[in-house]
Amino acid sequence: MKTIFTLSIVAVHIAALAAAQSTSVSSTYNTDISNYDFDDSSFNYCQGDFPSSASYVPVANATLEFVQVVVRHGDRSPALVAPHQDATWNCDKYSENVYLKSDTTSEVSSSALVNQKTEIPVWNGKYGYSNQLWKGSCNVGELTDIGKAQHESLGAKLRSIYVEKLNFLPYWLSNVNQVYVRTTHYHRTKTSAESLLGGIWPFRGISANMAIPMHTYPEEIETMEANSNACPAINKVWMDIIGSDSYQKFFKGQNALMTKLARILDASGPIWTMVWDGYFDTLFTR
């Protein structure tokens, strides 16, 4: 039997909104927010629960044939840069060594092995340059060292179930065709996948024939995020949402808080005054 393990790493969220029918807009998007009953007392946005081999129970009278894992990227630096950054974001504890190899050449003829690094220059915020970026070694929206460790730990947990407990996946991955990896084009999703695979099959070599193919779609046709280029209906659904009475009522009720936060952060512009995206991104990543 050929065992197949598929892994999908999603950048933000799968665009399910486009499936909504326009005729249901008034009832779907005009529910007062106070009517939603969501208990988040035990919810940790920064770290979800890990699967456990100790609590894993195989399905009765069933044979495992296929494993598919769909996960988000791990902990990341902010994707939107607030003014006057003084935080430190680190992304270089795990070295990212890469090289290019043509399928028609031997490995000896490959390009040089390089270690990719993000550098925050010493003049950042000095000598007349505005202080637009933080300290450390992270680009905007990049997977942090914490995020890489999260996925490595998740991979180890999956290994304990599907490799060590069930013997479903191979102990050593010698046939890379047994796994299919799909990520979005974002750097943080790709490094999340790399970290997760490193947890499932640690201590693998870097020879070209052992490289696990990691599949992405071009940005214009990506379907694992809310992409209006691939699904134009998303724009209409979004406009229906923000134009609804309940959204406008909620938004107007937040004006005082939003104005206060903008003043504290010295932030201006639509991303800070029209939507919550800037504050969500800046505060939740911390």
Side-chain angles (χ1 to χ4, degrees):
M1 180 183 68
K2 181 180 180 181
T3 58
I4 296 293
F5 168 75
T6 65
L7 169 65
S8 299
I9 306 283
V10 185
V12 279
H13 57 79
I14 297 175
L17 288 177
Q21 298 294 321
S22 59
T23 56
S24 64
V25 167
S26 60
S27 61
T28 302
Y29 304 133
N30 278 315
T31 302
D32 191 278
I33 193 169
S34 62
N35 292 335
Y36 287 98
D37 183 19
F38 176 65
D39 181 9
D40 61 354
S41 59
S42 61
F43 175 71
N44 184 349
Y45 177 84
C46 298
Q47 178 59 70
D49 293 334
F50 286 117
S52 169
S53 60
S55 60
Y56 178 88
V57 179
V59 179
N61 303 316
T63 301
L64 182 62
E65 297 285 350
F66 182 87
V67 177
Q68 180 165 329
V69 179
V70 181
V71 295
R72 283 196 63 181
H73 59 76
D75 181 81
R76 63 166 175 82
S77 60
L80 301 171
V81 182
H84 314 300
Q85 291 286 328
D86 60 357
T88 299
W89 295 91
N90 292 314
C91 295
D92 60 353
K93 179 180 178 181
Y94 294 72
S95 296
E96 186 175 358
N97 300 318
V98 298
Y99 67 92
L100 302 178
K101 178 186 179 300
S102 170
D103 288 338
T104 60
T105 61
S106 67
E107 194 166 343
V108 177
S109 302
S110 302
S111 69
L113 181 68
V114 297
N115 176 229
Q116 294 190 212
K117 290 183 176 294
T118 297
E119 178 183 1
I120 309 298
V122 295
W123 49 256
N124 178 49
K126 300 179 180 179
Y127 316 123
Y129 292 97
S130 60
N131 186 18
Q132 286 296 309
L133 207 60
W134 42 72
K135 303 171 186 176
S137 55
C138 290
N139 202 339
V140 293
E142 185 175 351
L143 193 73
T144 65
D145 292 338
I146 293 174
K148 294 166 189 174
Q150 286 175 322
H151 273 286
E152 191 173 51
S153 296
L154 175 59
K157 295 293 186 180
L158 293 172
R159 177 179 176 85
S160 70
I161 296 173
Y162 296 106
V163 175
E164 298 169 356
K165 182 170 186 174
L166 301 180
N167 295 316
F168 180 75
L169 296 176
Y171 191 86
W172 299 105
L173 184 65
S174 56
N175 179 7
V176 295
N177 292 322
Q178 288 183 293
V179 58
Y180 181 88
V181 182
R182 166 87 162 87
T183 79
T184 55
H185 62 277
Y186 295 96
H187 185 266
R188 61 180 173 267
T189 63
K190 294 179 180 179
T191 46
S192 291
E194 293 168 2
S195 302
L196 182 59
L197 290 167
I200 299 174
W201 291 292
F203 311 116
R204 300 184 73 247
I206 61 171
S207 61
N209 64 343
M210 292 297 291
I212 300 174
M214 191 160 60
H215 302 265
T216 62
Y217 286 179
E219 182 177 355
E220 289 293 310
I221 60 172
E222 180 56 73
T223 57
M224 291 208 302
E225 63 170 330
N227 183 2
S228 59
N229 291 319
C231 181
I234 289 176
N235 285 335
K236 182 184 183 307
V237 172
W238 175 238
M239 294 305 296
D240 286 338
I241 293 174
I242 64 176
S244 65
D245 293 340
S246 61
Y247 183 92
Q248 290 300 316
K249 177 183 176 182
F250 170 76
F251 186 75
K252 290 177 181 178
Q254 305 298 306
N255 281 347
L257 176 59
M258 189 174 288
T259 300
K260 181 178 181 179
L261 289 173
R263 186 170 60 250
I264 292 173
L265 294 177
D266 192 24
S268 61
I271 200 67
W272 306 101
T273 59
M274 299 297 293
V275 292
W276 278 107
D277 295 40
Y279 302 105
F280 179 90
D281 181 75
T282 298
L283 299 175
F284 266 52
T285 50
R286 284 167 167 79

